[in-house]
Amino acid sequence: MRDDKQAGRKPMRMRLPLWRWRSSPIRRRDDVLEAWLLLAMWLLIVVGGTVAGAVTAHAADRSFARQRAERTPVRAVLLTNVPYSAVSEAGNDLVSAKVGWTASDGSTRSGKTLVSTGRKAGSTVTIWADHHGKLSAQPPTPSKATVEASFLGASAALALSGLVFGVGSAGRWWLDRRRMEQWGTEWDLVGPRWRHMTS
């Protein structure tokens, strides 16, 4: 009865963890190369991806902090009317308009920046200027900068991991092809002997 139950079972597959690292008569040089390739690949993905992400996030955060330090809000005067009928290319209520402002050195400057529609010439708007008094974009707030820096860091980590995984997969494919060619060559040598023995 017990033998019948055991006979109905599926054959158990024996798993040998890290078999490529173990000494074995059937282990080939390419198996050892693949083991080293896999180890290097996962080390680069885990360690390299983490380092690339952290470095990128830190660099982006420093860049955003520098932008906040260099750029200051300045009161400017709208030089042209911006009617409600004006439509931006992005489809929102912000359109490019000419503004004038006084730089920190006392010189009068003018340029174009995005302002909301429905404003008349002479109304006051807030713009951002760098330490040279040139018009610049508003820097991200600390919370936005943290989110953007984290996103850039994660993107860098994923990009490096994807590249390493792709190169590693290509290397494994090449090793598989080499193994198949070697097995084919060996079978060409051994196959005729087997046919001779069985005939």
Side-chain angles (χ1 to χ4, degrees), residues 96-148:
S96 180
K98 197 169 185 183
V99 293
W101 71 97
T102 303
S104 56
D105 61 359
S107 61
T108 304
R109 307 282 179 93
S110 65
K112 284 194 170 184
T113 189
L114 291 175
V115 296
S116 54
T117 57
R119 291 179 172 265
K120 292 184 178 179
S123 58
T124 304
V125 292
T126 301
I127 61 164
W128 288 81
D130 62 17
H131 59 279
H132 296 297
K134 291 182 180 178
L135 197 62
S136 58
Q138 180 178 353
T141 61
S143 55
K144 267 189 178 179
T146 301
V147 171
E148 285 186 40

Side-chain angles (χ1 to χ4, degrees), residues 59-74:
D61 200 41
R62 275 180 36 193
S63 175
F64 294 142
R66 190 169 55 251
Q67 287 177 14
R68 285 193 301 274
E70 290 175 352
R71 300 174 188 180
T72 53
V74 178

Side-chain angles (χ1 to χ4, degrees), residues 157-188:
L158 285 172
L160 179 67
S161 300
L163 178 67
V164 169
F165 186 80
V167 170
S169 297
R172 292 185 71 193
W173 174 82
W174 179 76
L175 287 171
D176 281 343
R177 252 186 96 179
R178 249 177 55 144
R179 273 191 289 254
M180 294 298 285
E181 287 171 4
Q182 288 170 358
W183 289 336
T185 304
E186 289 171 9
W187 179 248
D188 289 341

